[in-house]
Each structure stands twice: as structure tokens, then as C-alpha cells.
Amino acid sequence: MAPIFRGKAWKFGDNVDTGQILPGQYLTLTDPHELAQHAMESIRPGFANLVQPGDLIVAGHNFGTGSSREHAAKALKYAGIAAVLAESIARIFFRNAFNIGMAAIPVKGISSMVTEGDQLEIDLHQGIVINLTTGRYISFAPLPSVMLAILAEGGIIPYTTKLLTQERGINV
Amino acid sequence: MEQTITEKILARAAGQEKVSPGQIIEAQVDLVMIHDHQGPLTLLEFAKLPVKKVWDPEKIVIVLDHRTPSQTPQAAKNHRALRDFASVQGIKYFYDIGEGICHDLLVENGHIVPGMVLVATDSHTITAGALGAFATGVGSSEMASIFARGKIWFRVPETVEIQLEGELPLGVYGKDVALYLLGKVKAGGLDYKALEFRGKGVKNLSLDSRLTLCNMALEMGAKNAIFEPDEITLDYLRNRTAKKFSVIKSDPGACYTCTIKIHLNTLEPLIAEPHSPDNVRPAQEIEKENIKVDQAVIGTCTGGRYEDLKIAAYILKGKKIAPGVRLLVVPATRSLWLKASKEGLLDIFIEAGAIVSYPCCGPCGAYGMGALAPGETCITTGSRNFIARLGSPEGKIYLANTATVAASALVGKIVDPRSYL
């Protein structure tokens, strides 16, 4: 997966929990396209239909807090979201995002430098977000190399497949 | 170099003599668990991997507790898939519907021992740290990877020391310690940290209160929460587990990233108001606002244990809940359900006007029970009061200790429980 993303920002506030991202009543669903239809529906009705492929989410503190439901990250990815940028990201959502092949990056100060609809560019390896609409930019702490490696493979399943192949000489 | 209990457990699991905060390690897991919410996705992802068998069927526990009994055709299919997987893979630790809430079953049935690494597809996995284990939650795909390799990467967390001094006053429990901390550090305020509860006050906390405290550390953002094993832990484990374990403790002089001191004697019953668990105020302040209660819940992996049922029964014995209140009582496990039945606690609840349910996760997230209409108010022993957690975004959820929930059901409005004890 390319380490550079460009897309339009959708803004959210603090403490957007996984239940707001994907309400609990849909947790028996397993088809990611069905999950995507319900992304953010309790706080932003119609969100799934408004998102264009490659769009980005910019949020406040503690994004993805709450339940470990991977359904939440999947719903965003299959709705078209390419990456999540937030002031801070709850631990399990952080891992889930990379594990399903979607970047989620804690960026202190991101909320105040982005207005909804701004075009952003993210360079994962350089650790920088540029607001193409305003010209402002901000840097973020580098992500652990294991997370970048998982993302580069497209998620933990292809990454694990590679590890298994190396470890056991399994042909895939 | 001196290490904390969390560092020692992770070093052992990584096959290293010592580890330091910030280091990335690959840890061997000792036990994993999936349930019927996140488990079905794990199975779908596992099927994509180039292996047929799990790494070790003895180390996998499967629990059906979220959508039980099968509430929709899709839930029934998910349950079927998990039953079939357990059978095909030879997974003997399978708890079918009605056995109870996964976190409580793991603890109660001796699956958890001090010093182990537990990883499960649920954020509240962190609860098991009360027994001195390293326990943390992951998502479904990561679990599929662990099913294949028995390993997971971790960034070794910095440890925050929570020094507990003194003893809890009447009407104040582990839940209030958790709410006090949340009010102080705020939701996500201790992101990715290990929380270690220490100090002279620990011996005054029951195991049930410790489980509740670890359970709610998740809302602070913690990776894990942990108590060093002590006499209370070892007493609990006696005759409960055949697993061998060694008692691991933090070294004197181990390095903590910061220390938070709590004098238990100074605490009072606390309540988290909508819509965040860190939105905390004293119950006695909220009582003055005459907040009418539509639904009261005693249950969940945060507050459905024996201690909770005993407190609720003490308050409700021989009394009737207020007209218009729906009180749901959901014991955490089947053995606890039976124990409460034999001791007459369930009779007390039924006579008081409560609805007594089979063990399940239901009313924590309106999984088949406990949904709110717009404008309704629920007070619960659970851990989450997020917007729309119980269905309607206009529903209001208050988090409180069990005495507060029981007393509020009795009065029909939110009250400070201390006048009812």
C-alpha cells in the first residue's frame, strides 16, 4: 500500500467510540460492505453515502474508544475511508485499523488545523500531514515499523501469511 | 535492572531476560478467547490463512454470551459456526449460551492464573489482570493470526503506579475507585499504559472489586491493568485451577512513569453522567436533581458478580421497586446464578419486582434486552454510557455502583445509596 494518501477531510469531535462508528445492533453482520452502510449512522446519518473513496477522517481525542469490534474499522474502510487522523486513538481501534489495512495515525494538533472539506496529504514515512487547502502542515511521531509492515502487506492476514510462509516454508 | 510485574510477564513471554517500555516484542500467548460478537470474523479471517489447524486447541476458549439465546437468524448462524469450529479444531473449552459472561467464566473456571498472557477479542479482557495476569484485548483479524502462530507483537507499556491507601467507607466499592480515577485522568488519559494497583489499601479490596477496577481501566485507555497476586488471589485460586503458576511481583525500585495516590477512605459513591464514563460527579450531588429512572441494570462484566448481587439483595429485601422502573438483574455466570438462587437472592429480586435474567452480556449494549426509548434514563452497574449504547441516541445512561443502582430502582430516581445501607 502506498505510504502517501490524498483525500478530503470529514471532521469529528472527541471520544467517538466504536459504537458511534458502528452501532452494536449490527455486530452479527460479517459482510464488510453491509457494515459500511451503517458507518457513523447514529451521529452522522447518511455518512456512508456521502464518503468518496480515499476520503479521510480527522477527529479529536480518544477516537475508537470502547469495544474491540473490528467491525468499526471495517465499516469505515469499506465506506471508502483511506485513513483516520486523530488527536489520540484508542489502543484496540489503532491496532484494528492497521490489521485490516487502513492507516490510523495519532497526530497532536490535527483538529485545529483542519476544517471539514479540506484536502489533505499524508506521508506515512516522512511523518507529515499537509493541508493542501490552507498550506499548513504538521508532523507526527513515527509509527512502529511493525505497523507499517502490516499496512504495507494490506493487513495482518496477508502479513501473517507471509510470516507463516517464511517460518514453515508453506507454499501459498 | 528492576522491572514491574507487567514487564516481567512480557519478558518471560518474549523469551527475554528483561524488557523495557517502548520496546517492540513478540510474545507467546498462554491463553486466548473469542466470543460470538468478534469470533465469527476471526473464523472468516482464519480461513484465509495457509494453515488448517489452530496452533494449540488447549489454549483457546470460546464463549457464546453476547447474542444469547440466538436472537436473530444471523446470530444463530454465528453460534453454529463457532460450535462447528470448536468441534473441528478439538477446542474443549467451549461455553455455550447461558453459561455466562466470558470474562467471568475465564476467572471462575480457573483459566486465569497469575503471570500468564491472555489475549481475547474483547476490550474488557483487561478484567483478568485482577488475578495478576497480563490481559489485553485485540480485534478479530489479529486473533486469526494468533490462532495460526500463537504469537502477537506488543509495544512494552510504561507502567503507571496507582497507590491505594486505607479502606473503602460504607456504600463505596471498586466501581467508585474506577470512576474516581476516570474523573481524574479522563477517558483515554492513560492510553497504552499498564496500570498497576499497589499499596496498603489493596488487601482491603475484595477480588470482585479488583475485577471491576481492572475492567474499567479500559475506559482510561490502558493496555492492561494488574494487581500483584496476594493472599486474596491465592485463596481464590485454591481448588479452582490445576494450572501451575509462579507468583510474579514487581521488583522493589521498579520504574513507574508516574504515581497516582488514592486514599480509599476519602471516596464517596460516584456516578458517571451521559455520555462519557469520565463525566463523574458525587451521587449525593446528583440526588438533588431528582432524575427519574426508567431502567436500572445490575449485571455485565463490570457489576454482575456475587458481591453485586449480595449488595442489591441487602437493599431490596422485603421491598418493592418504584412503579414505572424496569429493574434487570443479570448474574454474570451460571454458577453464580445457581448460588444466588440457592441463597434466596433471586427470590428477593423477583419479589421486589425485578426481572431476573439468565447470564449474558445483554443489557450492556442492548443485545436483545435493555434498549431505551428516546428520552429514557437508565442507571447501570455497567461500564459504558456512550451515546446510543442502549439504542436511542436520546437515551441517557448513568454509571454507578451496585448499591446506587439498587437504591435508585427502589426510589424511582437517582439517589445516594448510603441512606439505604
Side-chain angles (χ1 to χ4, degrees):
Chain A
M1 183 171 290
I4 293 180
F5 303 91
R6 273 190 211 93
K8 188 180 73 171
W10 293 92
K11 278 201 77 178
F12 289 87
D14 292 335
N15 297 317
V16 175
D17 72 279
T18 53
Q20 292 175 52
I21 301 169
L22 196 272
Q25 71 249 43
Y26 304 116
L27 291 181
T28 54
L29 300 178
T30 51
D31 178 349
H33 299 283
E34 273 184 75
L35 291 168
Q37 288 306 308
H38 304 290
M40 300 287 192
E41 74 174 21
S42 65
I43 52 169
R44 187 93 55 112
F47 182 72
N49 296 324
L50 298 169
V51 173
Q52 298 299 311
D55 282 359
L56 308 166
I57 281 178
V58 172
H61 288 284
N62 208 22
F63 188 84
T65 186
S67 115
S68 69
R69 62 188 73 165
E70 189 172 286
H71 311 63
K74 278 205 164 126
L76 293 182
K77 181 182 170 179
Y78 285 85
I81 296 295
V84 174
L85 305 169
E87 296 287 333
S88 65
I89 299 177
R91 182 186 156 266
I92 303 176
F93 182 89
F94 189 31
R95 287 182 85 108
N96 279 347
F98 285 82
N99 286 336
I100 63 148
M102 177 177 73
I105 313 159
V107 187
K108 280 203 171 64
I110 189 72
S111 254
S112 61
M113 67 163 263
V114 176
T115 309
E116 182 149 302
D118 285 355
Q119 286 287 333
L120 309 180
E121 181 177 299
I122 309 163
D123 187 324
L124 264 186
H125 288 176
Q126 297 295 321
I128 192 164
V129 183
I130 303 167
N131 187 329
L132 300 172
T133 306
T134 65
R136 292 174 69 190
Y137 62 91
I138 193 166
S139 58
F140 55 85
L143 294 159
S145 56
V146 59
M147 296 184 96
L148 294 175
I150 289 168
L151 189 68
E153 293 296 330
I156 189 95
I157 294 303
Y159 177 80
T160 302
T161 300
K162 197 174 169 182
L163 287 182
L164 288 167
T165 312
Q166 287 164 357
E167 285 170 1
R168 305 184 189 178
I170 294 169
N171 292 316
V172 287
Chain B
M1 197 185 79
E2 294 83 0
Q3 294 188 99
T4 66
I5 176 171
T6 294
E7 288 156 11
K8 284 181 168 181
I9 295 172
L10 289 179
R12 198 259 314 145
Q16 300 187 24
E17 213 155 283
K18 67 179 188 68
V19 293
S20 309
Q23 190 180 337
I24 304 284
I25 56 161
E26 187 166 68
Q28 189 80 45
V29 303
D30 300 305
L31 188 74
V32 300
M33 187 275 298
I34 60 171
H35 56 56
D36 58 324
H37 256 177
Q38 269 71 262
L41 283 182
T42 297
L43 304 193
L44 291 175
E45 298 299 330
F46 181 73
K48 296 176 187 169
L49 292 170
V51 288
K52 289 272 177 287
K53 298 295 278 182
V54 298
W55 103 103
D56 188 347
E58 299 268 317
K59 290 182 177 162
I60 298 176
V61 178
I62 299 181
V63 183
L64 308 186
D65 57 358
H66 276 70
R67 296 280 178 179
T68 60
S70 50
Q71 292 159 2
T72 61
Q74 182 61 44
K77 269 195 226 167
N78 290 346
H79 291 169
R80 186 79 261 153
L82 289 161
R83 290 188 189 105
D84 290 348
F85 185 80
S87 158
V88 166
Q89 295 283 345
I91 293 165
K92 62 178 178 188
Y93 300 120
F94 180 84
Y95 296 93
D96 214 313
I97 58 171
E99 291 306 311
I101 301 175
C102 56
H103 310 295
D104 288 278
L105 287 172
L106 288 179
V107 168
E108 198 178 74
N109 291 297
H111 292 290
I112 307 297
V113 291
M116 79 187 315
V117 172
L118 165 73
V119 179
T121 56
D122 191 286
S123 56
H124 289 121
T125 305
I126 191 167
T127 309
L131 289 173
F134 175 89
T136 195
V138 296
S140 305
S141 296
E142 187 141 41
M143 185 56 77
S145 168
I146 301 171
F147 271 15
R149 296 180 67 241
K151 293 174 191 164
I152 179 174
W153 73 270
F154 285 122
R155 178 186 171 280
V156 177
E158 292 83 10
T159 299
V160 174
E161 176 184 40
I162 315 278
Q163 274 280 355
L164 304 176
E165 297 293 332
E167 218 171 321
L168 290 169
L170 183 72
V172 184
Y173 309 91
K175 179 68 170 280
D176 301 291
V177 183
L179 291 174
Y180 171 81
L181 261 172
L182 268 160
K184 208 175 158 74
V185 306
K186 293 295 169 189
L190 299 176
D191 265 350
Y192 320 141
K193 301 283 190 286
L195 263 60
E196 184 178 329
F197 295 98
R198 304 173 53 77
K200 293 197 185 80
V202 164
K203 66 176 189 305
N204 302 322
L205 283 185
S206 67
L207 188 74
D208 281 359
S209 268
R210 295 179 190 187
L211 289 162
T212 301
L213 192 41
C214 286
N215 175 283
M216 285 206 75
L218 189 276
E219 311 305 330
M220 302 165 207
K223 177 173 288 181
N224 72 308
I226 197 161
F227 281 82
E228 288 177 341
D230 64 2
E231 279 311 310
I232 290 175
T233 325
L234 299 179
D235 275 351
Y236 183 81
L237 288 168
R238 211 158 284 139
N239 305 322
R240 198 175 288 272
T241 187
K243 291 187 184 186
K244 289 200 176 77
F245 62 90
S246 50
V247 173
I248 298 173
K249 298 194 175 197
S250 291
D251 294 323
C255 184
Y256 295 95
T257 186
C258 70
T259 296
I260 300 170
K261 278 197 178 155
I262 302 178
H263 293 278
L264 299 175
N265 300 71
T266 65
L267 298 184
E268 59 181 314
L270 296 170
I271 294 176
E273 298 183 275
H275 296 285
S276 178
D278 63 3
N279 197 11
V280 174
R281 279 202 296 152
Q284 59 171 341
E285 260 181 40
I286 295 177
E287 174 170 345
K288 292 176 191 148
E289 292 161 21
N290 286 311
I291 298 167
K292 185 181 163 291
V293 170
D294 298 295
Q295 177 172 284
V297 172
I298 295 167
T300 81
C301 61
T302 313
R305 284 180 270 278
Y306 185 63
E307 181 175 277
D308 300 290
L309 300 183
K310 285 289 277 188
I311 295 162
Y314 180 84
I315 290 175
L316 295 169
K317 189 170 184 178
K319 304 203 173 76
K320 292 267 183 231
I321 59 170
V325 176
R326 320 183 286 266
L327 171 61
L328 314 184
V329 179
V330 190
T333 64
R334 176 183 292 277
S335 72
L336 178 53
W337 192 24
L338 186 61
K339 182 175 165 137
S341 170
K342 286 183 175 165
E343 291 182 7
L345 306 183
L346 301 188
D347 290 2
I348 292 172
F349 301 139
I350 294 166
E351 281 165 5
I355 300 152
V356 178
S357 155
Y358 56 92
C360 66
C361 306
C364 177
Y367 311 132
M369 65 174 79
L372 298 179
E376 284 192 330
T377 293
C378 174
I379 185 161
T380 175
T381 64
S383 66
R384 288 181 178 147
N385 57 351
F386 303 146
I387 193 160
R389 176 82 180 173
L390 293 177
S392 170
E394 286 92 45
K396 295 186 283 284
I397 307 169
Y398 291 77
L399 310 177
N401 75 36
T402 305
T404 306
V405 174
S408 299
L410 208 54
V411 180
K413 66 187 192 77
I414 297 178
V415 295
D416 183 324
R418 287 174 291 188
S419 322
Y420 304 86
L421 288 165

